[in-house]
Amino acid sequence: MTVVTVLAQDATHTNQSHIPAGTQAAGYDTGSGGIAWSSSDYAAHDKPFPAIHIDQDAGASDYLSDILDVESGAATPAECARWVANARANYNSAVRRGQRWPGIYCSQSTAGSVQSALGSAGISNVPFWIAEWGIGEAQAQSNVADGSGGGYPTIGWQYQNGTYVDYDVFSVPWLTTVSGPAQLGWNWCDKCQGMFYGWNASQGVCPDGGAHGGSKSYDYSMTYGTAPSGYQGSWHWCGKCQGLFYGPQQSSSVCPAGGRHDGSGSYSYAVAHGTIPSGDQARWNWCRKCHGMFYGPNDSNSRCPAGSTHNGTGSYDYGMTHR
């Protein structure tokens, strides 16, 4: 398995202005003396995905953060099990929408003792962000892309300490799967007008030819799991073309990569329809020909893998969350 990765930088509140715009960022929810980020800091660093939230306080008390910092002056290995259990409860209840599956930051030399403490408490499936300066960007990317770690998967690697920022590599699947539960990283294709997942190694297959084009898209997020009231569930990601299609109609669907769509590796996604939540983009449609999702107002410029343009006759008016 090869995990898609993204380069990132982390910094304190005092130094966060040194993180270039558009670079994945990580900041601190806790800490004194210019460490903790303000809401405006987080707002300034929301691309390509919202900044990672780190709990840096010595009491390991912020259960809404994504990561617990375990090092001198911050949390200890003995505090990790309590923090992970409480942070998971908040994640599962979506207390802070957008929280990632809670993980641990620590040095390579400390990881063993942290994992031992978690194992003694019966806690596994805990993501780890490892600090090991000097190994270089390429090796750090390889370490995260490997996707290994068993019950304690590596989702981040800090490979260099700088004057103002530290340099990291992160797993895109971990960054984009957030509480709600929802998955970030979905894009509108300006060629075929369809919805596709834009953060896999492949940009998929577009019925207009070549790969999908998401450079002009919002960053959309998809709710998954049990469909909330007012949402239609059973929408699936196609592992062949990367597009979104209606799962119950897979046997009669048409995939631009050939044959039928393949949703075997997909979450069950849910899409709002009827009364669209405030802030969502309305007028997304189901295509009765290919069973994919496309942006209705642009139907005349769309391309359907079943031929000609998409056809939204009979479709609900769907809404898509975006930022």
Side-chain angles (χ1 to χ4, degrees):
M1 176 179 68
T2 300
V3 175
V4 178
T5 63
V6 64
L7 296 176
Q9 296 178 17
D10 64 274
T12 63
H13 162 72
T14 301
N15 293 325
Q16 54 80 29
S17 61
H18 293 277
I19 300 176
T23 297
Q24 182 61 49
Y28 296 91
D29 290 338
T30 56
S32 58
I35 293 176
W37 279 29
S38 66
S39 58
S40 60
D41 293 342
Y42 281 109
H45 297 289
D46 68 341
K47 296 288 188 298
F49 306 111
I52 297 162
H53 289 244
I54 306 168
D55 178 13
Q56 198 259 0
D57 73 315
S61 64
D62 192 335
Y63 305 127
L64 295 177
S65 299
D66 305 323
I67 292 287
L68 178 65
D69 184 358
V70 179
E71 61 178 315
S72 177
T76 66
E79 294 172 314
C80 290
R82 167 180 54 81
W83 184 88
V84 168
N86 283 286
R88 282 183 176 182
N90 283 342
Y91 174 95
N92 289 329
S93 298
V95 176
R96 177 177 72 81
R97 294 184 66 88
Q99 183 179 19
R100 279 106 178 176
W101 185 242
I104 303 294
Y105 166 91
C106 66
S107 67
Q108 175 77 312
S109 61
T110 306
S113 60
V114 174
Q115 291 171 8
S116 178
L118 290 169
S120 295
I123 298 177
S124 61
N125 189 25
V126 180
F128 270 71
W129 172 13
I130 299 295
E132 186 183 13
W133 299 341
I135 67 167
E137 179 184 303
Q139 185 60 55
Q141 285 184 310
S142 177
N143 292 349
V144 177
D146 180 65
S148 62
Y152 305 104
T154 302
I155 53 83
W157 209 282
Q158 187 180 85
Y159 62 89
Q160 182 178 333
N161 171 238
T163 302
Y164 300 108
V165 303
D166 293 333
Y167 297 86
D168 313 276
V169 176
F170 283 101
S171 156
V172 167
W174 178 76
L175 283 172
T176 57
T177 304
V178 299
S179 65
Q183 183 185 52
L184 308 176
W186 285 84
N187 290 168
W188 159 74
C189 175
D190 59 26
K191 297 162 59 182
C192 69
Q193 307 303 317
M195 180 68 73
F196 74 100
Y197 185 65
W199 275 88
N200 277 331
S202 166
Q203 292 292 288
V205 178
C206 178
D208 195 43
H212 289 296
S215 62
K216 300 176 183 178
S217 177
Y218 289 128
D219 181 24
Y220 294 92
S221 63
M222 294 293 301
T223 297
Y224 64 91
T226 302
S229 177
Y231 283 64
Q232 181 185 54
S234 298
W235 284 85
H236 290 170
W237 160 79
C238 175
K240 294 161 58 180
C241 70
Q242 306 299 317
L244 183 70
F245 73 99
Y246 189 51
Q249 297 172 335
Q250 178 171 321
S251 63
S252 57
S253 67
V254 180
C255 177
R260 308 303 181 193
H261 287 298
D262 180 2
S264 59
S266 178
Y267 290 126
S268 179
Y269 296 99
V271 187
H273 66 87
T275 302
I276 306 302
S278 177
D280 282 11
Q281 184 183 50
R283 302 186 66 188
W284 283 85
N285 290 169
W286 156 81
C287 175
R288 65 185 302 108
K289 294 159 60 181
C290 68
H291 305 315
M293 181 74 77
F294 74 99
Y295 188 51
N298 294 345
D299 60 350
S300 63
N301 295 321
S302 68
R303 295 292 180 272
C304 177
S308 188
T309 58
H310 288 298
N311 184 343
T313 303
S315 175
Y316 286 130
D317 176 18
Y318 294 100
M320 293 291 181
T321 302
H322 66 87
R323 62 185 184 89

